[in-house]
Amino acid sequence: MLTNPPLSLYIHIPWCVRKCPYCDFNSHAIKNIKSDSQTEFDLPEKAYIDRLIEDLEHELPKVWGRRLHSIFIGGGTPSLFSPESLDRLISAVRARLPFENDIEITMEANPGTFEAEKFRGFRQAGINRLSIGVQSFNAQHLEQLGRIHNPEQAIAAAEFAHEAGYDSFNLDLMHGLPNQTVEQALNDLGTAIRLKPHHISWYQLTLEPNTLFHQQPPQLPHDEVLWDIQEAGQALLAQHGYEQYETSAYAKSPRLRAKHNLNYWRFGDYLGIGAGAHGKITRLDLGEVHRTTKKRHPKDYLNGSTASISTDTPIPAHELPFEFMLNALRLIDGVPTNLFSQYTGLPLSSIRATLEQAVDDGLLEDITTQLKPSDKGALFLNELLERFIPSDNSKPEKGSASIQFKQL
C-alpha cells in the first residue's frame, strides 16, 4: 500500500554572478552590476520572494497535514540574496507548513559572494546548515572552472561558517579536474579536511550536455589517474573520520549526514518552488506519485500566473522502479526492502526477477531486508541501474524529479 514518505522543500534561486562552464543546473548570470562604494547586484529580490510564497501556496493543497522534514535553498547562488529576504521567505514557509522539531535548513553559498556579517545574518534567519561551493583550493583549477573566488576566500568561507555557529556545513569539492594530478587532488582534499567541515561532498567532474565544457572539452585526467585519485582520496577521508554513506557524500557521523539529500535518495517527497524547480509528491488521494515542474526561465516564472508556471503529472507505474532505484542504490547501505512497496505502491514481486538476477550476478547483496549494492554493484552502478529501465527502453526525461536535484 502506498504511504507518505517524509516531506522536504526545495527552493531554487536561479541567479549567479557568472555561469560556470561545467554547470548544467538552471542558473543565469546577472547581466547588470552597479558599482558604487560597494558591489551591488541588480536582482528582482522582493518580486522573486513574493512569487516563491505564491508558488508555495499553490502547492499546499497537495500536502495538507504534513510536516516539513528539511528545506534546501539552491541555485544559482542563493547567498546573493540578503539575509532579510531569506528571513522573510523562511518565516512565510513556517507560517504555512509545520516544521519538524529538528528540521534541517540548508543553503548553498559561494565563497565569492558573502562577508562574515552575511553568514551571521543567514544563521539568524533560521538557516542552520551551509553547503559551500569551493570546488578546489588550487588557483589555476578555480580559474579553469570559471569560479569567481580565490583559494584564500574559500578558506575564509569555512572559517566564517565555524564562527557564525552553524550546526553543520558542507564543503563541495571536485576531483578529476583539467590536467589534475593525484597530488593536486589530494592537496585539495587535505586542505578541506584541515578546515574541519562536518560534511564533505567529493565528486568527479563530468562533462554534462548543454555546458561549455561539453562543447569545448578540456583535457581531463586519464582513467588510471582518476582511479588512483578515487582510491587515495577515499582512504584519506576515512583516515580522518569521514564516513562515506553515498557515492560522493562523506560525514563525520551519522547525525551529520545531509537529511535533505537522504530524503531524495530514499525516494522521499519534496515540494519544488522557484524557476525550474522539480518536485515529487505522493498523492494518497489519487493512489499515485506525481512529478511537478516549474517554468525554467526567471522571467517566465515571475511574469506568468501562479497556475501557469507549474505542471503536475503522475509518474507512470512502469517508470517507478527506475525512479526509486536511481537514487536508493547510490547509498552505500541501500534502503530497507519494504520502502519500495511503501513509497511506489507496487508489489516487490513486480521487480523480484530483476532483483534476483542482480543478486546472482553479484551486483546486489541479499534482498531479504535491504536493497543494497554489493562492492561490485557500487563499482558498476550504471550497469545495475540500467536493469530497472522500463522494458520499452524509454528512459525518464532528463528533467525528471528524481534525476535533477541539487546536492548537499
Side-chain angles (χ1 to χ4, degrees), residues 197-274:
H198 309 85
H199 189 286
I200 293 177
S201 174
W202 189 61
Y203 56 96
Q204 184 179 322
L205 171 64
T206 55
L207 306 184
E208 301 291 347
N210 303 315
T211 65
L212 183 60
F213 270 5
H214 191 267
Q215 298 166 16
Q216 303 171 24
Q219 183 64 52
L220 300 183
H222 296 300
D223 287 346
E224 295 83 2
V225 176
L226 293 173
W227 181 259
D228 289 344
I229 289 173
Q230 186 74 29
E231 279 199 319
Q234 288 180 331
L236 183 63
L237 285 160
Q239 177 187 339
H240 289 274
Y242 288 92
E243 180 186 9
Q244 184 179 18
Y245 66 97
E246 187 268 345
T247 302
S248 60
Y250 303 78
K252 271 290 189 178
S253 72
R255 181 182 65 82
L256 296 169
R257 294 173 179 179
K259 290 175 63 175
H260 188 85
N261 277 36
L262 279 171
N263 196 38
Y264 283 134
W265 294 322
R266 292 169 177 159
F267 208 56
D269 279 355
Y270 53 101
L271 292 169
I273 62 173

Side-chain angles (χ1 to χ4, degrees), residues 96-391:
R96 289 160 176 81
L97 278 171
F99 286 8
E100 296 283 0
N101 292 334
D102 60 347
I103 188 169
E104 173 192 274
I105 304 178
T106 304
M107 186 186 73
E108 288 187 327
N110 284 346
T113 60
F114 74 91
E115 61 226 21
E117 284 303 319
K118 214 172 183 186
F119 263 36
R120 283 188 278 269
F122 294 144
R123 184 70 186 89
Q124 291 168 3
I127 294 162
N128 54 26
R129 185 175 183 272
L130 290 179
S131 183
I132 304 172
V134 170
Q135 313 311 352
S136 177
F137 294 96
N138 180 296
Q140 181 180 353
H141 287 142
L142 286 172
E143 184 176 353
Q144 291 172 323
L145 293 172
R147 306 299 288 171
I148 64 170
H149 65 270
N150 58 40
E152 293 73 26
Q153 289 172 318
I155 291 168
E159 292 171 345
F160 285 149
H162 280 298
E163 291 172 11
Y166 283 88
D167 300 342
S168 174
F169 73 89
N170 168 67
L171 291 185
D172 210 35
L173 205 62
M174 287 183 178
H175 61 88
L177 305 181
N179 298 305
Q180 189 180 44
T181 64
V182 176
E183 182 181 11
Q184 287 172 330
L186 294 181
N187 283 341
D188 270 353
L189 203 48
T191 301
I193 289 168
R194 285 191 294 276
L195 291 168
K196 299 182 179 179
H198 309 85
H199 189 286
I200 293 177
S201 174
W202 189 61
Y203 56 96
Q204 184 179 322
L205 171 64
T206 55
L207 306 184
E208 301 291 347
N210 303 315
T211 65
L212 183 60
F213 270 5
H214 191 267
Q215 298 166 16
Q216 303 171 24
Q219 183 64 52
L220 300 183
H222 296 300
D223 287 346
E224 295 83 2
V225 176
L226 293 173
W227 181 259
D228 289 344
I229 289 173
Q230 186 74 29
E231 279 199 319
Q234 288 180 331
L236 183 63
L237 285 160
Q239 177 187 339
H240 289 274
Y242 288 92
E243 180 186 9
Q244 184 179 18
Y245 66 97
E246 187 268 345
T247 302
S248 60
Y250 303 78
K252 271 290 189 178
S253 72
R255 181 182 65 82
L256 296 169
R257 294 173 179 179
K259 290 175 63 175
H260 188 85
N261 277 36
L262 279 171
N263 196 38
Y264 283 134
W265 294 322
R266 292 169 177 159
F267 208 56
D269 279 355
Y270 53 101
L271 292 169
I273 62 173
H278 298 270
K280 174 249 164 186
I281 297 296
T282 300
R283 295 293 302 271
L284 295 182
D285 55 333
L286 302 174
E288 297 171 336
V289 180
H290 279 226
R291 176 184 299 138
T292 65
T293 60
K294 302 300 166 72
K295 292 282 189 182
R296 259 182 89 77
H297 199 280
K299 286 184 179 178
D300 296 333
Y301 178 78
L302 281 167
N303 297 332
S305 67
T306 307
S308 72
I309 62 172
S310 294
T311 61
D312 184 328
T313 56
I315 301 176
H318 70 282
E319 289 185 11
L320 283 171
F322 178 75
E323 293 277 344
F324 181 92
M325 295 297 177
L326 179 65
N327 292 315
L329 295 182
R330 291 175 59 94
L331 291 168
I332 301 302
D333 293 330
V335 296
T337 301
N338 61 5
L339 284 192
F340 176 79
S341 295
Q342 290 177 21
Y343 290 177
T344 67
L346 301 174
L348 191 67
S349 59
S350 65
I351 59 167
R352 183 171 290 280
T354 303
L355 292 172
E356 290 178 347
Q357 187 61 58
V359 172
D360 290 344
D361 294 340
L363 297 174
L364 280 179
E365 296 191 358
D366 178 71
I367 60 172
T368 305
T369 60
Q370 199 82 355
L371 299 174
K372 177 180 178 180
S374 64
D375 290 343
K376 179 182 176 182
L379 191 60
F380 296 99
L381 186 57
N382 286 342
E383 179 185 330
L384 175 58
L385 291 172
E386 284 171 2
R387 298 178 180 223
F388 298 96
I389 294 175
S391 57

Side-chain angles (χ1 to χ4, degrees), residues 3-60:
T3 59
N4 278 332
L7 176 67
S8 295
L9 172 65
Y10 176 75
I11 301 170
H12 193 74
I13 296 177
W15 292 281
C16 53
V17 176
R18 181 193 300 167
K19 179 79 171 180
C20 296
Y22 59 84
C23 177
D24 70 338
F25 286 101
N26 184 34
S27 58
H28 302 261
I30 303 168
K31 290 185 171 62
N32 299 315
I33 298 179
K34 303 172 183 177
S35 296
D36 297 315
S37 58
Q38 59 182 1
T39 303
E40 295 180 359
F41 302 103
D42 188 15
L43 290 168
E45 194 164 321
K46 182 181 182 303
Y48 195 76
I49 296 293
D50 289 344
R51 174 41 59 102
L52 286 172
I53 295 169
E54 293 171 358
D55 191 356
L56 177 62
E57 288 183 339
H58 184 259
E59 297 289 324
L60 288 180

